[in-house]
Amino acid sequence: MQHTETYGGPTDPGEDGPTGARGSRLVGSDRVLAVLKELARYPGGVGLEELTRVIGSPKTTVHRALGALRRAGLADQDTRGRYVLGDEFLRMAFAHHEARPDHVRVRPVLEALAHRFGETAHYAVLDGHEVVYRAKVDPPTGAVRLTSAIGGRNPAHSTAVGKLLLARELGTLEETEAWIGTAPLERRTPRTLCTPADLQHALEVTRERGFGADDQENETGVNCLALPVYLTSPSSPSGAVSVSALAYRTPLPTLIDALDEFRALLGPLGEPHH
C-alpha cells in the first residue's frame, strides 16, 4: 500500500498517533509541528528511520519537516547524525519558562519547602482531567526520579494537587460523574480512587480539611500533600503547591503533622484575599 503525503490516511496513525489531536488531518505547518513534538520525546536524539516509523508519515515528508525545523534553529543533528531539539528551541523554552510570573513568584516557596522537608516540591495547575506541572524544585540532597517534570502531566484524580483543585469544582456526585464521563479513570496504583463515589468522598474530605493528599495513589512509594496558592486571583487558587515525598522516609502523617509549617512557608501566596 502506498503512503500518502498527509497524516490520517490508512497507513498513518494520524491524530490517534503520538503527535496529534483526534479528528483532523495534519498538513503543512501542522505536520512540521507534529515532527517537533515527537522529536521532543527523544532527548538523546533519534534517527530519521525511527522517527519516520513512529510518526507514520513518508520519509521524504518527515525529512522536509526536519529541514524546516533545522533552518529555524528548532532542530539539529548531533555527531552521529541523530536529530535533537535545536539550541534556539531550548533558548526560547527556558527563557519563556523563567520569565513566567507564576514561576518567578512561586519558586522561592518551592525552594524553601524542598529544603525544609528534604523532598521534591511542585507547583501545578488543573487542565481538564490532568494537572500540569509549571515548576519543580528537588531537595538539596536525596532527590529521586519522580514521574513529574516541568510541563509534564499526571491524572488529576490520582494526585494531591488534582484532588485539591477538583474539590472546588465538583461539589456533588452528579458533577463528579459528569466530569469522569464514559471513559474509566486510570488506575495508577492499587490505591488509586477510580469510582465516582470514592472520588467524590475524597473531594468532600479535601474540602473539609483544606488540603489535598495523595497516599501512594499516583506513584507507588510516593505520597503527597498539597495546598492552594493564589497567584492570579485574590479569591480563586491559580494552582497548588505540593510536597511529594518518599513514603518510607517521610510518611503522609508526617507531612500532615507539619501542615502549619507548610502554610507558613507559603505565606501570603497561600492566603485568599476577599
Side-chain angles (χ1 to χ4, degrees), residues 113 116-117 119 160 163 191 202 205-206 208-217 223-227 242-247 249-264:
L113 287 169
R116 159 61 182 86
F117 290 98
E119 303 286 358
K163 286 188 288 183
R191 298 190 180 190
V205 171
T206 298
E208 292 173 3
R209 298 192 301 190
F211 64 85
D214 153 19
D215 189 7
Q216 303 185 58
E217 296 161 46
N223 51 45
C224 189
L225 188 71
L227 286 174
S242 68
V243 173
S244 297
L246 294 181
R249 69 184 182 192
T250 311
L252 185 57
T254 300
L255 290 175
I256 294 175
D257 288 343
L259 192 61
D260 288 343
E261 288 184 76
F262 193 150
R263 286 198 173 99

Side-chain angles (χ1 to χ4, degrees), residues 14-75:
E15 292 287 77
D16 288 321
T19 56
R22 287 186 178 87
S24 62
R25 295 160 66 88
L26 295 177
V27 295
S29 60
D30 289 337
R31 189 162 50 224
V32 175
L33 293 175
V35 173
L36 178 65
K37 289 177 65 177
E38 189 61 32
L39 191 62
R41 294 162 56 90
Y42 296 89
V46 59
L48 178 59
E49 295 284 349
E50 183 178 359
L51 193 59
T52 298
R53 186 183 73 254
V54 172
I55 291 179
S57 198
K59 183 188 296 186
T60 54
T61 299
V62 176
H63 191 262
R64 282 199 300 270
L66 288 167
L69 292 170
R70 291 186 67 188
R71 289 191 294 275
L74 303 180

Side-chain angles (χ1 to χ4, degrees), residues 18-257:
T19 56
R22 287 186 178 87
S24 62
R25 295 160 66 88
L26 295 177
V27 295
S29 60
D30 289 337
R31 189 162 50 224
V32 175
L33 293 175
V35 173
L36 178 65
K37 289 177 65 177
E38 189 61 32
L39 191 62
R41 294 162 56 90
Y42 296 89
V46 59
L48 178 59
E49 295 284 349
E50 183 178 359
L51 193 59
T52 298
R53 186 183 73 254
V54 172
I55 291 179
S57 198
K59 183 188 296 186
T60 54
T61 299
V62 176
H63 191 262
R64 282 199 300 270
L66 288 167
L69 292 170
R70 291 186 67 188
R71 289 191 294 275
L74 303 180
D76 204 351
Q77 276 184 291
D78 61 20
T79 55
R80 299 170 297 166
R82 295 168 68 83
Y83 290 91
V84 295
L85 288 177
D87 289 340
E88 178 63 12
F89 178 89
L90 299 175
R91 184 197 66 77
M92 290 191 303
F94 282 110
H96 176 74
H97 173 69
E98 292 297 327
R100 292 184 76 132
D102 53 356
H103 167 77
V104 173
R105 294 179 64 193
V106 82
R107 186 170 180 86
V109 171
L110 299 184
E111 291 173 344
L113 287 169
H115 184 271
R116 159 61 182 86
F117 290 98
E119 303 286 358
T120 300
H122 298 97
Y123 169 62
V125 299
L126 184 65
D127 183 17
H129 285 69
E130 298 174 312
V131 293
V132 182
Y133 297 97
R134 292 279 182 84
K136 175 181 179 179
V137 172
D138 286 319
T141 60
V144 296
R145 184 175 179 83
L146 303 178
T147 59
S148 59
I150 296 176
R153 295 169 176 264
N154 266 323
H157 70 279
S158 62
T159 57
V161 290
K163 286 188 288 183
L164 178 66
L165 298 173
L166 284 175
R168 295 181 59 88
E169 298 190 3
L170 307 178
T172 66
L173 179 59
E174 291 73 21
E175 290 174 340
T176 298
E177 289 174 335
W179 178 81
I180 293 173
T182 57
L185 294 175
E186 179 184 357
R187 186 173 295 280
R188 297 296 297 265
T189 77
R191 298 190 180 190
T192 307
L193 305 177
C194 293
T195 69
D198 286 343
L199 179 57
Q200 179 60 32
H201 175 70
L203 298 182
E204 292 172 357
V205 171
T206 298
R207 278 193 294 273
E208 292 173 3
R209 298 192 301 190
F211 64 85
D214 153 19
D215 189 7
Q216 303 185 58
E217 296 161 46
N218 188 67
E219 196 168 351
T220 299
V222 177
N223 51 45
C224 189
L225 188 71
L227 286 174
V229 289
Y230 300 82
L231 299 176
T232 58
S233 167
S235 57
S236 297
S238 60
V241 163
S242 68
V243 173
S244 297
L246 294 181
Y248 78 87
R249 69 184 182 192
T250 311
L252 185 57
T254 300
L255 290 175
I256 294 175
D257 288 343

